[in-house]
Amino acid sequence: MLTRREFLAGAGAAAAAAALGAGCLRPSPGGAAPAQPPDLAKLSDHLLVYRGAINVGVVRDGAKALLIDCGDGRVAEALAPAGITTVDQVIFTHHHRDQACGAWSLAAQGARVGAAASERDWFDKVDAYWGNPKNRWHNYSQHPNRLMLAEPVRVDAAFAPGDSFTWGPATVRVLSTPGHTDGSLSYVVEVDGRRTVFCGDAIAGPGQVWDIHSLQKGTQTTDYHGFMGARPQLIESLGRIKAADASALVPSHGCIMTDPPAAIDATVAALDRCYDKYVAISALRHYFPKLFAEYADRKDHMPIRPGKDVPACLRHFGTTWMLVSRDKAAFVMDCGGAKAIKEIKDRQAAGEISAVEGLWITHYHDDHTDGIPEFQKAFDCPCITDRSVASVITDPMAWRLPCISPNKARVDRTAADGESWPWHEFKMTAYHFPGQTLYHSGLLVESGDLRMFFCGDSFTMAGIDDYCAMNRNWLGRGTGFDYCIALLEKLRPTHIFNPHVDQAFDFTAEQCRFMRANLAERETLYGRLVPWEHANYGMDEPWVRCHPYEQPIAPGGEAAFDVVVTNHSTGPRAFACRAVLPRAWKPELSQGAACKTTAAGVVTAWVNGEAAAKADGSVRLTFRIPEQCPRGRYVVPVDLTCAGRDLPQFTEAIITV
Ligand SMILES: [Zn+2]
Ligand SMILES: [Zn+2]
């Protein structure tokens, strides 16, 4: 066994620097130039790690290699100077596109492909995922998620936990380590008298995981309600990795760890602490108290506030609150479907209300918007909402978001943030309210002593609704829920209303302070949990996204979409993007000067952009659809480099030809 010093001496400068650091290498902010030069770190005579966009394990046997993961496939070029000319096998820890997008070219050159039996379909049958409307509309499931290969790759060997095999001088044992994905595996490699675990994205460094949103998983309900829901599974997996008793741990993203037990213990402790802080102010405690039985009566969690009676001017049915004026006019908030419309018509027929004079939409989720088109046929009144909500519900095809409805709504008026108008005896004021989702509004309705605030799904009497990471809940002072709570502190509503809660409620000044302090603490804790410049990169799955997400283009036409990068950092960040074109288009497009062939496919030229601090930046990618392109719905992944990071195929757009 090598000493720590001997190990570091052999491991190459980058690996050594990473191993010596308390956490992981944080790329220096700045230019958009693609990644640091690839580095082949030698762990022992027959074991190397290629440190590119991801860490790729390389077991060598003369001129042949077995790879663990392959990233974008550029590893093959780096192997040649080391005398490795043939990739015999590539085995995958998990199916994510950034791990595996180079697999196709390696397979085409004869490499055998191995993957978890339980994730096999996510390699060789990815068309089924992309073609299933359930993964696009009304989506409450994140397993698997969209970081799925764009096109299928052949699988030659399907591994089950406990399998082991020898390859050249090495023995490889397969561990089941779900959490980051449902079927994630780790490989325990024994070679040159050393034991090393390649653990995919189970851990990124001491006390760190690659991201938080991958842990979104439902246990008793859907994934939608499961913020960090895969945490218990991941902790179990980390225990299994620890029990393998290896001298080094190599994650896909992050640093090589030379003290695996310490790194794992720190990560488990960090996950527990982060989850505890989440539960402490979670709105979900109101809906599903059993989910948090083990956290009941915690002194350091926010007590759940009792509800309040609802003023006589309001009606509640389905996900709709309806305001009724003294002269019986109705103002409807949200319309989840036909039942709500029938309810309104019945009340009209019974003489309880007269005219329906307006429809307000709190946020874009399907349970609040599915019924809008029918509502608009039934009642002749304006639909009003915040601009962010309108941008989604008037053009849902352009967005990929959880719980989105494909029903296109007509919005007659977008209210500016803070805009007021009278309605019968009430005064209404519209607010942008980036709580439960970024695409969310708030409405203050005042009359006499009543200050009624319609908060959409953002709060219950138990706290905040941030239980689905894909909804985009940002941490940081003046953003996300901190912004929303500060607004409540300013507006001081007497009653708060959530469309899913029968009662009214309110928060004390102390509760508002408590929630904001919790959010500030989480910004720090979550920031430490992930190897990124800010917690939000680990929380906010769509921080890089294509707009429009999906569009129809005729053969021969030009596709164009923006790649929008949300810069969660405190300084400006440069980035660059390019599209990876479907293989079916290759024959024509590869002749274009603007495109080139890489290990992961034919790509367009890089386009550079910049995003100001805490703001969105975007670049436009354009390319022509070949005249002879077969009809179909194509997934177009986008490569991104940002602040020194190389993020292959990190997001995607959909082109329907
Ligand atoms: Zn991954
Ligand atoms: Zn809802």
Side-chain angles (χ1 to χ4, degrees):
M1 191 67 86
L2 294 175
T3 65
R4 179 176 161 85
R5 182 190 297 207
E6 284 163 340
F7 165 77
L8 291 175
L20 284 169
C24 286
L25 278 181
R26 279 174 194 258
S28 56
Q36 60 277 21
D39 170 41
L40 212 49
K42 188 174 170 187
L43 299 196
S44 63
D45 284 348
H46 297 91
L47 188 62
L48 306 98
V49 176
Y50 168 77
R51 295 176 60 84
I54 62 159
N55 295 317
V56 176
V58 183
V59 184
R60 76 175 298 174
D61 184 18
K64 282 197 306 186
L66 171 143
L67 303 185
I68 299 162
D69 296 317
C70 68
D72 57 14
R74 272 186 290 165
V75 55
E77 299 158 30
L79 294 177
I84 300 171
T85 52
T86 306
V87 175
D88 180 56
Q89 287 196 33
V90 50
I91 60 178
F92 289 98
T93 56
H94 62 293
H95 72 94
H96 278 162
R97 203 159 61 211
D98 53 343
Q99 300 288 129
C101 57
W104 181 82
S105 69
L106 293 172
Q109 290 166 60
R112 281 169 57 79
V113 175
S118 61
E119 291 198 350
R120 178 178 191 143
D121 288 357
W122 304 340
F123 285 85
D124 61 7
K125 294 192 183 69
V126 295
D127 290 346
Y129 171 83
W130 290 112
N132 186 347
K134 281 187 183 163
N135 294 321
R136 176 73 175 94
W137 305 110
H138 307 292
N139 187 8
Y140 287 73
S141 161
Q142 302 299 332
H143 290 258
N145 74 5
R146 69 192 174 98
L147 207 56
M148 174 78 64
L149 287 172
E151 298 183 48
V153 163
R154 184 192 80 222
V155 173
D156 303 293
F159 301 126
D163 283 356
S164 66
F165 59 93
T166 45
W167 186 89
T171 64
V172 179
R173 186 155 57 86
V174 180
L175 286 186
S176 166
T177 51
H180 178 69
T181 69
D182 284 352
S184 281
L185 298 178
S186 292
Y187 297 103
V188 185
V189 176
E190 296 203 42
V191 66
D192 303 327
R194 299 171 43 83
R195 188 180 299 155
T196 306
V197 179
F198 292 84
C199 60
D201 283 326
I203 184 171
Q208 290 189 321
V209 291
W210 171 235
D211 64 44
I212 298 170
H213 57 73
S214 295
L215 301 178
Q216 184 75 32
K217 190 173 170 68
T219 45
Q220 295 170 52
T221 69
T222 60
D223 289 340
Y224 183 77
H225 295 121
F227 181 72
M228 289 184 84
R231 178 189 59 104
Q233 201 181 27
L234 177 64
I235 289 174
E236 228 179 277
S237 297
L238 290 171
R240 230 167 275 136
I241 294 169
K242 190 173 162 184
D245 194 23
S247 55
L249 206 49
V250 184
S252 293
H253 296 95
C255 56
I256 298 170
M257 288 154 270
T258 51
D259 187 353
I264 288 169
D265 289 349
T267 303
V268 171
L271 285 166
D272 282 344
R273 222 143 57 100
C274 288
Y275 189 69
D276 179 75
K277 287 289 162 200
Y278 157 73
V279 176
I281 60 166
S282 176
L284 207 56
R285 298 180 300 159
H286 168 78
Y287 299 120
F288 303 111
K290 282 184 195 154
L291 275 181
F292 305 106
E294 59 184 301
Y295 294 87
D297 302 322
R298 284 284 300 267
K299 289 272 178 295
D300 55 345
H301 286 196
M302 188 171 81
I304 300 176
R305 185 101 167 125
K308 289 177 100 164
D309 289 342
V310 175
C313 57
L314 286 168
R315 311 284 183 277
H316 185 235
F317 43 88
T319 56
T320 294
W321 281 103
M322 185 168 73
L323 181 68
V324 181
S325 70
R326 274 197 293 264
D327 52 357
K328 294 189 179 179
F331 183 87
V332 174
M333 288 168 271
D334 293 342
C335 186
K339 263 186 163 169
I341 295 163
K342 184 175 181 303
E343 186 86 35
I344 299 165
K345 281 184 173 167
D346 287 352
R347 285 167 195 253
Q348 236 174 358
E352 185 187 335
I353 55 169
S354 54
V356 177
E357 296 189 352
L359 174 65
W360 172 262
I361 301 300
T362 60
H363 63 297
Y364 78 85
H365 285 161
D366 52 8
D367 52 332
H368 303 263
T369 58
D370 262 344
I372 300 177
E374 277 306 306
F375 179 98
Q376 291 180 324
K377 279 183 212 154
F379 306 106
D380 181 24
C381 65
C383 175
I384 316 162
T385 188
D386 169 77
R387 193 187 315 158
S388 71
V389 181
S391 68
V392 179
I393 65 176
T394 58
D395 188 14
M397 196 66 94
W399 298 84
R400 186 192 174 94
L401 288 165
C403 323
I404 190 172
S405 170
N407 293 355
K408 212 169 162 165
R410 184 193 83 233
V411 172
D412 302 293
R413 187 155 72 84
T414 52
D417 183 42
E419 182 186 335
S420 295
W421 65 94
W423 186 78
H424 296 266
E425 70 268 31
F426 302 96
K427 177 186 172 194
M428 298 184 168
T429 308
Y431 292 97
H432 177 51
F433 203 63
Q436 188 207 28
T437 87
L438 190 59
Y439 313 100
H440 199 295
S441 70
L443 186 69
L444 179 70
V445 179
E446 296 167 82
S447 177
D449 293 337
L450 287 177
R451 296 176 64 77
M452 302 179 287
F453 190 80
F454 294 86
C455 76
D457 286 359
S458 295
F459 294 89
T460 68
M461 41 281 259
I464 69 172
D465 174 343
D466 61 342
Y467 39 76
C468 180
M470 288 68 196
N471 273 332
R472 316 199 68 187
N473 309 119
W474 297 347
L475 290 170
R477 199 168 167 79
T479 55
F481 271 106
D482 183 75
Y483 176 90
C484 294
I485 299 166
L487 186 64
L488 293 183
E489 286 177 325
K490 195 177 95 184
L491 299 179
R492 295 175 175 274
T494 53
H495 299 73
I496 301 173
F497 298 93
N498 171 320
H500 294 281
V501 180
D502 270 333
Q503 288 176 294
F505 56 95
D506 62 5
F507 293 116
T508 63
E510 171 52 29
Q511 280 181 306
C512 289
R513 274 195 298 274
F514 186 93
M515 288 189 278
R516 293 185 74 182
N518 170 292
L519 291 166
E521 205 179 342
R522 272 158 73 178
E523 184 184 16
T524 306
L525 289 176
Y526 292 16
R528 281 188 207 137
L529 181 64
V530 294
W532 296 86
E533 286 181 331
H534 189 272
N536 287 346
Y537 291 106
M539 306 257 295
D540 180 26
E541 191 245 12
W543 72 270
V544 185
R545 65 199 182 282
C546 295
H547 196 95
Y549 180 72
E550 182 164 358
Q551 59 184 309
I553 308 275
E558 191 176 65
F561 55 81
D562 291 331
V563 183
V564 184
V565 172
T566 301
N567 176 11
H568 290 297
S569 307
T570 48
R573 292 292 175 266
F575 61 91
C577 300
R578 64 181 183 187
V580 185
L581 302 176
R583 284 200 282 277
W585 303 358
K586 186 176 174 179
E588 279 193 38
L589 274 168
S590 54
Q591 294 163 23
C595 295
K596 69 169 190 170
T597 303
T598 70
V602 176
V603 294
T604 61
W606 289 104
V607 180
N608 292 308
E610 194 176 281
K614 301 284 179 189
D616 284 355
S618 72
V619 296
R620 175 147 287 217
L621 298 184
T622 55
F623 45 85
R624 196 157 288 286
I625 313 297
E627 289 284 356
Q628 307 306 324
C629 176
R631 310 274 144 146
R633 191 166 172 274
Y634 293 95
V635 181
V636 179
V638 171
D639 287 339
L640 172 77
T641 67
C642 185
R645 276 186 197 279
D646 198 354
L647 301 163
Q649 305 202 3
F650 204 59
T651 191
E652 79 284 335
I654 305 285
I655 306 282
T656 307
V657 179

